[in-house]
Amino acid sequence: MKIPNAPKVFITGVTGQDGAHLANLLLSKGYNVSGGFRRGTNKFWRLDYLGITEKITLIEFQLSEPQSILAILQEGQFDEIYHLAAESFVADSFKYPIVTLEANTHAVCNMLEAARLVSPNSRMFFASSSEIYGSGQASNILSEMTPPNPSNPYAISKLAADHFVRLYRETYGLFVCSGILFNHEGPLRGRQFVTRKITYNLARLKIKGGEPLVLGNLNAGKDWGSAVDYVEAMRLMLSSDKAQDYIIATGKLSTVRDLLKLGAMSAGFQPIFEGEGVNEICKDVDTGLIIAEVSERYFRPFDTPAMIGDSSKIENELGWRKNSNLEQMISEMVSADINRWKIGDTNV
């Protein structure tokens, strides 16, 4: 049910991890929430998980069709627009660079131009990525002042979109901003991401047993935060007095090994690591069960070097705070996956 005179918001990619968490947050703040989803999408499980599917006005649309976006924005006259829909896999961007550019750059242009023409008073947020900084940085602690150096088609597509955001802000006076998001996770993450791959398989081993989890480089590191915290940063950016771009990060580096250890402990195992390199294994002390193995086939040839984000600007200017640490986040993910295995809901 729509709330009379409540702020109206439109979220592209509402069926994704961030879109679902953001919709849940804004509903709790009294917004009327509409969400765009791609034709043929049948992935409403995240909205169902949060119990908000029926509270959102779902709109089928295509980001590649400018007239469709124009019609939606003109009719909706939304107070806020969050553009979260994107192609998000670095490895795939090497295989499909044109598709990546269409989804991550051209779609942003379509959204910006539609807003300029029919909804210029809407405040707009765009989800950028830490991948824009790439390799070869003088420091692995990155701020808004760090020069970008994209090293893959995905990063190039995001950086190009950031330039268009700034162009429309400075040239046309639109209230538009980019959130430079470092890695962020939670129980709504898809299983193709390493964090969820770990928690899903740890839950499987705990409930059902079976073959060990197989991972790539356990030393690979990322700045991993909580998706729930990060969507709050998005909201704060559109509630501020001035449209600016901000880094959203934790400022802490964690490795795949850290994730595996924390996840195994949350699942009730007592993990120890033995061996080195591709011969390293993780096993449970109590039972001798091999929890995880390493395989070269999961090593990423184009992986971006470890980077840490400096979020002091958004913390100091907008009061954003990180409420979840890595241990809490992984524990929540493991708990959710254990419950899914118990009830047989293992396809999400």
Side-chain angles (χ1 to χ4, degrees):
M1 173 182 281
K2 291 188 176 181
I3 305 171
N5 302 317
K8 297 186 294 181
V9 62
F10 180 62
I11 303 170
T12 72
V14 73
T15 60
Q17 171 190 252
D18 292 2
H21 280 305
L22 179 61
N24 194 42
L25 171 65
L26 295 178
L27 285 168
S28 74
K29 301 290 184 181
Y31 283 69
N32 286 322
V33 177
S34 297
F37 69 98
R38 186 167 49 193
R39 185 186 310 119
T41 295
N42 189 27
K43 295 182 179 179
F44 301 111
W45 66 269
R46 295 178 176 92
L47 303 179
D48 293 340
Y49 181 89
L50 295 173
I52 60 173
T53 308
E54 302 303 321
K55 300 177 183 178
I56 298 171
T57 300
L58 292 168
I59 302 172
E60 184 180 301
F61 81 126
Q62 286 285 349
L63 284 166
S64 60
E65 296 292 338
Q67 292 301 320
S68 170
I69 299 171
L70 275 168
I72 291 168
L73 298 194
Q74 185 167 34
E75 180 179 353
Q77 291 300 307
F78 302 103
D79 297 286
E80 297 178 4
I81 299 168
Y82 295 85
H83 180 53
L84 309 182
E87 293 291 336
S88 57
F89 295 103
V90 171
D92 286 353
S93 75
F94 282 97
K95 299 177 184 177
Y96 312 111
I98 303 303
V99 171
T100 302
L101 286 169
E102 288 283 351
N104 295 351
T105 307
H106 293 178
V108 169
C109 292
N110 289 341
M111 293 291 294
L112 287 166
E113 187 65 6
R116 182 182 74 84
L117 292 172
V118 302
S119 190
N121 295 321
S122 298
R123 293 186 167 207
M124 305 182 70
F125 171 91
F126 291 89
S128 185
S129 169
S130 61
E131 287 285 334
I132 66 171
Y133 293 114
S135 58
Q137 298 292 348
S139 170
N140 68 338
I141 302 177
L142 309 174
S143 74
E144 290 85 356
M145 301 303 294
T146 303
N149 185 31
S151 56
N152 56 69
Y154 169 79
I156 292 170
S157 72
K158 284 293 187 178
L159 181 58
D162 288 340
H163 285 306
F164 277 109
V165 167
R166 188 180 70 254
L167 175 70
Y168 274 72
R169 182 169 64 220
E170 295 176 354
T171 304
Y172 302 114
L174 297 183
F175 192 107
V176 293
C177 49
S178 292
I180 304 169
L181 303 167
F182 281 64
N183 294 68
H184 50 288
E185 315 297 327
L188 303 186
R189 179 54 91 189
R191 283 192 282 135
Q192 62 271 52
F193 290 82
V194 68
T195 46
R196 180 75 196 291
K197 178 181 178 180
I198 288 172
T199 63
Y200 175 88
N201 282 284
L202 287 172
R204 170 183 60 80
L205 287 165
K206 187 65 178 179
I207 300 302
K208 192 177 180 180
E211 296 298 314
L213 164 65
V214 183
L215 295 167
N217 182 10
L218 298 185
N219 295 315
K222 299 286 185 183
D223 182 333
W224 272 295
S226 166
V228 172
D229 288 345
Y230 285 29
V231 298
E232 170 63 12
M234 299 175 192
R235 185 190 71 83
L236 288 172
M237 288 174 64
L238 291 199
S239 300
S240 63
D241 294 330
K242 182 181 179 181
Q244 296 187 76
D245 304 329
Y246 291 97
I247 278 179
I248 306 170
T250 71
K252 297 181 179 179
L253 185 68
S254 302
T255 65
V256 174
R257 184 182 285 100
D258 295 329
L259 299 178
L260 178 58
K261 181 178 180 180
L262 289 172
M265 292 172 65
S266 294
F269 297 114
Q270 296 296 320
I272 59 168
F273 293 86
E274 298 179 350
E276 295 181 357
V278 295
N279 296 315
E280 186 172 7
I281 63 169
C282 175
K283 70 178 185 181
D284 179 40
V285 171
D286 293 338
T287 64
L289 174 72
I290 298 177
I291 298 170
E293 299 175 338
V294 174
S295 172
E296 284 185 335
R297 74 177 183 273
Y298 290 112
F299 279 61
R300 295 180 175 180
F302 306 112
D303 209 8
T304 305
M307 299 180 292
I308 302 171
D310 176 4
S311 60
S312 58
K313 181 182 177 183
I314 192 171
E315 292 176 20
N316 294 334
E317 295 184 4
L318 303 185
W320 179 64
R321 295 292 180 265
K322 301 175 282 287
N323 295 314
S324 299
N325 59 36
L326 185 69
E327 184 175 358
Q328 292 169 328
M329 182 186 74
I330 294 297
S331 177
E332 183 181 0
M333 293 177 69
V334 169
S335 177
D337 275 322
I338 285 176
N339 184 62
R340 289 171 181 137
W341 275 100
K342 284 181 177 179
I343 65 176
D345 187 19
T346 58
N347 293 322
V348 298

